[in-house]
Amino acid sequence: MHIDLSRKTALVTGSSAGIGFSIARGLAGAGAEVVVNGRSEGTVAAAVDKIREEFPDAVVRAAVADVSTEEGADRVVESAGDVDVLVNNLGIFGATPALEITDDDWRRYFEVNVLAAVRLTRLLLPAMIERGWGRVLNIASDSAVVIAEEMIHYGTSKTALLAASRGFAKAAAGTGVTVNSVIAGPTHTGGVEDFVYQLVDRSLPWEQAQREFMRANRPQSLLQRLIEPEEIANMVVYLASPLASATTGGAVRVDGGYVDSILP
């Protein structure tokens, strides 16, 4: 199976590190022109340089702005130009006891995890429809369907993202544009390492801490390990390609069997 995204431009939000970086890297490797986004000029530039170093022929550009704000989203859209593939990866997460999550916390999680994706989709989807081809991919989470007590604000925001994805897929029905969400399972990133150490003994070496976290907090995982970001990126690159033309309105799982369901 050969995936060719040459002559396609992909915008990946929150892509200076973690899953977003792996997605940007994967899309560049498939031939797409990639726009790397983040809030820090230094980290975005470093991510761009790293991808260019690995793929010297790739066209990789920077778009520095906070897309969880209207002004930031407008700047990124203007900088990116015509976007064929939009990957709404930006997200925040953290552990807070359910009864201690404040109104401000709820608003912040909705702004960053839901409204940023909705806003960019609203800005970019019409042109995709007009051109008759496009891909919108929203990076969701197993927490959207298996709500963890210590992070119900995060889980609820990702549930909302699944609903928004399905709705926008209906808005694009029959146009050649697909809209899907990717349900990512527990994934190994720097941010997740910090999260793991919120829940297990910080004195434990990482490999032991990871195993303890999965045993105590994610025992239903069939993979029984954290997923690597590249494994999420592989699915995103496929869904962004012409090969996935019949997949739309879906919530595609890359969760290591974490969600106890036989349906996607």
Side-chain angles (χ1 to χ4, degrees), residues 19 23 86-89 136-145 154 158 161-162 165-166 179-185 187 227 229-240 247 249-256 259 264:
I19 293 173
I23 291 171
L86 168 63
V87 183
N88 289 307
N89 168 75
V136 177
L137 294 161
N138 295 313
I139 307 304
S141 166
D142 57 80
S143 293
V145 289
Y154 173 74
K158 291 300 186 177
L161 192 58
L162 296 184
S165 298
R166 180 68 181 179
V179 183
N180 291 288
S181 51
V182 174
I183 297 180
T187 305
I227 298 163
E230 292 78 11
E231 294 174 302
I232 308 296
N234 290 339
M235 179 61 77
V236 172
V237 171
Y238 166 71
L239 291 172
T247 302
V252 182
R253 290 164 50 194
V254 189
D255 68 342
V259 177

Side-chain angles (χ1 to χ4, degrees), residues 146-228:
V146 184
I147 305 294
E149 183 275 333
E150 74 276 5
M151 49 196 307
I152 63 171
H153 51 338
Y154 173 74
T156 301
S157 71
K158 291 300 186 177
T159 306
L161 192 58
L162 296 184
S165 298
R166 180 68 181 179
F168 280 120
K170 292 179 178 180
T175 67
V177 179
T178 66
V179 183
N180 291 288
S181 51
V182 174
I183 297 180
T187 305
H188 180 199
T189 66
V192 167
E193 287 193 17
D194 293 338
F195 173 66
V196 166
Y197 278 120
Q198 290 181 41
L199 300 174
V200 303
D201 187 348
R202 287 186 176 273
S203 67
L204 293 175
W206 168 246
E207 287 304 319
Q208 187 178 347
Q210 174 184 197
R211 287 194 299 272
E212 174 61 22
F213 169 78
M214 296 299 287
R215 183 196 64 77
N217 299 93
R218 303 292 185 265
Q220 62 269 51
S221 169
L222 302 183
L223 201 61
Q224 298 186 355
R225 64 167 172 83
L226 290 173
I227 298 163
E228 292 301 321

Side-chain angles (χ1 to χ4, degrees), residues 3-261:
I3 295 178
D4 181 8
L5 289 172
S6 58
R7 297 181 299 280
K8 303 297 184 187
T9 298
L11 166 62
V12 185
T13 66
S15 51
S16 61
I19 293 173
F21 174 79
S22 290
I23 291 171
R25 174 184 170 276
L27 292 167
E33 178 176 338
V34 176
V35 180
V36 175
N37 163 253
R39 294 181 301 173
S40 165
E41 191 168 332
T43 57
V44 170
V48 168
D49 289 344
K50 194 179 297 184
I51 295 172
R52 285 175 178 165
E53 183 178 345
E54 184 172 0
F55 304 105
D57 295 331
V59 178
V60 189
R61 297 187 280 124
V64 180
D66 180 359
V67 295
S68 68
T69 68
E70 291 185 54
E71 298 79 9
D74 288 340
R75 283 203 305 275
V76 167
V77 168
E78 183 178 359
S79 173
D82 290 337
V83 171
D84 303 293
V85 178
L86 168 63
V87 183
N88 289 307
N89 168 75
L90 176 67
I92 55 174
F93 66 94
T96 305
L99 297 179
E100 296 177 17
I101 303 169
T102 67
D103 285 358
D104 285 342
D105 291 333
W106 280 102
R107 292 188 189 97
R108 179 167 173 257
Y109 272 73
F110 186 83
E111 286 280 348
V112 177
N113 291 356
V114 183
L115 193 52
V118 167
R119 183 182 295 117
L120 284 171
T121 303
R122 189 176 64 232
L123 290 171
L124 294 171
L125 185 59
M128 293 182 189
I129 292 173
E130 186 176 342
R131 292 193 297 270
W133 199 95
R135 301 286 185 263
V136 177
L137 294 161
N138 295 313
I139 307 304
S141 166
D142 57 80
S143 293
V145 289
V146 184
I147 305 294
E149 183 275 333
E150 74 276 5
M151 49 196 307
I152 63 171
H153 51 338
Y154 173 74
T156 301
S157 71
K158 291 300 186 177
T159 306
L161 192 58
L162 296 184
S165 298
R166 180 68 181 179
F168 280 120
K170 292 179 178 180
T175 67
V177 179
T178 66
V179 183
N180 291 288
S181 51
V182 174
I183 297 180
T187 305
H188 180 199
T189 66
V192 167
E193 287 193 17
D194 293 338
F195 173 66
V196 166
Y197 278 120
Q198 290 181 41
L199 300 174
V200 303
D201 187 348
R202 287 186 176 273
S203 67
L204 293 175
W206 168 246
E207 287 304 319
Q208 187 178 347
Q210 174 184 197
R211 287 194 299 272
E212 174 61 22
F213 169 78
M214 296 299 287
R215 183 196 64 77
N217 299 93
R218 303 292 185 265
Q220 62 269 51
S221 169
L222 302 183
L223 201 61
Q224 298 186 355
R225 64 167 172 83
L226 290 173
I227 298 163
E228 292 301 321
E230 292 78 11
E231 294 174 302
I232 308 296
N234 290 339
M235 179 61 77
V236 172
V237 171
Y238 166 71
L239 291 172
S241 77
L243 299 177
S245 55
T247 302
T248 191
V252 182
R253 290 164 50 194
V254 189
D255 68 342
Y258 177 80
V259 177
D260 192 7
S261 170

